[in-house]
Amino acid sequence: MTEDLQSIERDFSQSLEQVKNLKELEELRVRFLGKKGTLTLSLRSIGSLPASERPGFGEEVNQLRRSFEDSLTKQKSKLEDDAISQSLSQNCLDVTMPGRKRSGGSLHPLRQVENELVKAFQSLGFSVETGPEIETDFYNFEALNFPQDHPARDMQDTFFLSDGRVLRTHTSPVQVRLMESKKPPLQVIVPGRVYRHDSDVTHSPVFHQVEGLCVGPDVSFAHLKGSLEAFVKMIFGSNAKVRFRPSFFPFTEPSAEIDVMGPKGWMEILGCGMVDPNVFQKVGASWEERGEDSPYDPEEISGFAFGIGVERIAMILHGIDNIKSFYENDQRFLSQFV
Ligand code: PHE
């Protein structure tokens, strides 16, 4: 081999040892084997050799080229392997690490409390019904013995729709709907959303009630008291501070309210009373309009009704003093009820 070629070979091997990455390797390839590479250029000197030496020299250059290419390929795959192991050790995946837990959804605290109330009444023999949230004046007021222009309508802070219908201000209209369509005896509860133009720490424009209605031949105020006392004990325990207060609703007579001691003193949790005979009469008129005898003759039938505020009960049970907490969807609040 000529001295020139020997020095090119030395230079190549030394440079190869110093190559640290694929980019440098490519640079090395170009430096020796590229169009203007050292080895490529050395072929040009072939013309200055005696004709007899030319084939030998050409052969040597070609051998050298193959051996360079060989070394380059080997070095390339070594560098690629190194790059892979390096990236594996940097972005290392520890398969023994415990997985991240997904936080599951859960029922909203109001739904949880509503479910508890429903369960308590089911254990007393009540079944569950529902009714529409958009109501006519007839069901929300008229049939419940709120005459037109009666001041009791002011108690309700009604949202009116443009067609004259209303967002129901209470679940009591469902009492009327049920008595219009079913014969007594009735023992039902009606959970649902209700709407009033009212907003402070204990009032929200949308809130939830559970209505109750029990109608039969000899239903008395004693049944009302017994049922509601049993209910209050089931929810708040027998040591809860509870009081019964006389009250007024157009659709019950006599009427009462129950207060329970809450985070900020007495809190009203429900209104109740004996179904007013005027309500039975309105319901009876609907049966008669359909050509049927009314099964709700106030002389033969009596009943009690109640309407429970779900938010109020949840506030007392969980010591919450602002009703808005239920609607803000703050995870820190909600996750306490998982
Ligand atoms: N509907 C009444 C209210 O929303 C509660 C109630 C229901 C009172 C049934 C008596 C009987 O305030």
Side-chain angles (χ1 to χ4, degrees), residues 77-139:
S77 70
K78 185 178 169 290
L79 284 172
E80 280 170 349
D81 286 352
D82 288 355
I84 290 175
S85 3
Q86 203 193 353
S87 108
L88 279 180
S89 67
Q90 270 170 4
N91 315 313
C92 94
L93 174 68
D94 181 355
V95 290
T96 65
M97 232 167 89
R100 265 189 217 123
K101 256 203 208 146
R102 270 203 199 202
S103 50
S106 64
L107 290 182
H108 190 277
L110 285 177
R111 179 70 72 197
Q112 291 179 21
V113 168
E114 183 186 272
N115 287 351
E116 266 183 64
L117 306 190
V118 168
K119 248 198 291 170
F121 281 107
Q122 282 175 325
S123 78
L124 297 174
F126 288 75
S127 57
V128 179
E129 298 279 354
T130 54
E133 291 176 25
I134 293 178
E135 269 298 7
T136 59
D137 181 273
F138 176 78
Y139 287 108

Side-chain angles (χ1 to χ4, degrees), residues 156 169-172 175 196 209 211-212 249 251-252 255-256 268 270-273 305-308:
Q156 304 270 334
T169 58
H170 51 177
T171 39
S172 300
Q175 288 186 34
R196 288 187 202 176
Q209 289 189 332
E211 189 79 9
F249 299 100
F251 40 94
T252 48
S255 304
E268 180 201 324
L270 65 83
C272 59
F306 54 85
I308 304 171

Side-chain angles (χ1 to χ4, degrees), residues 220-231 244 258 274 304:
S220 72
F221 199 87
H223 293 121
L224 175 156
K225 253 198 123 187
S227 307
L228 291 180
E229 274 169 4
F231 157 74
F244 236 85
I258 292 181
M274 301 306 292
F304 69 82

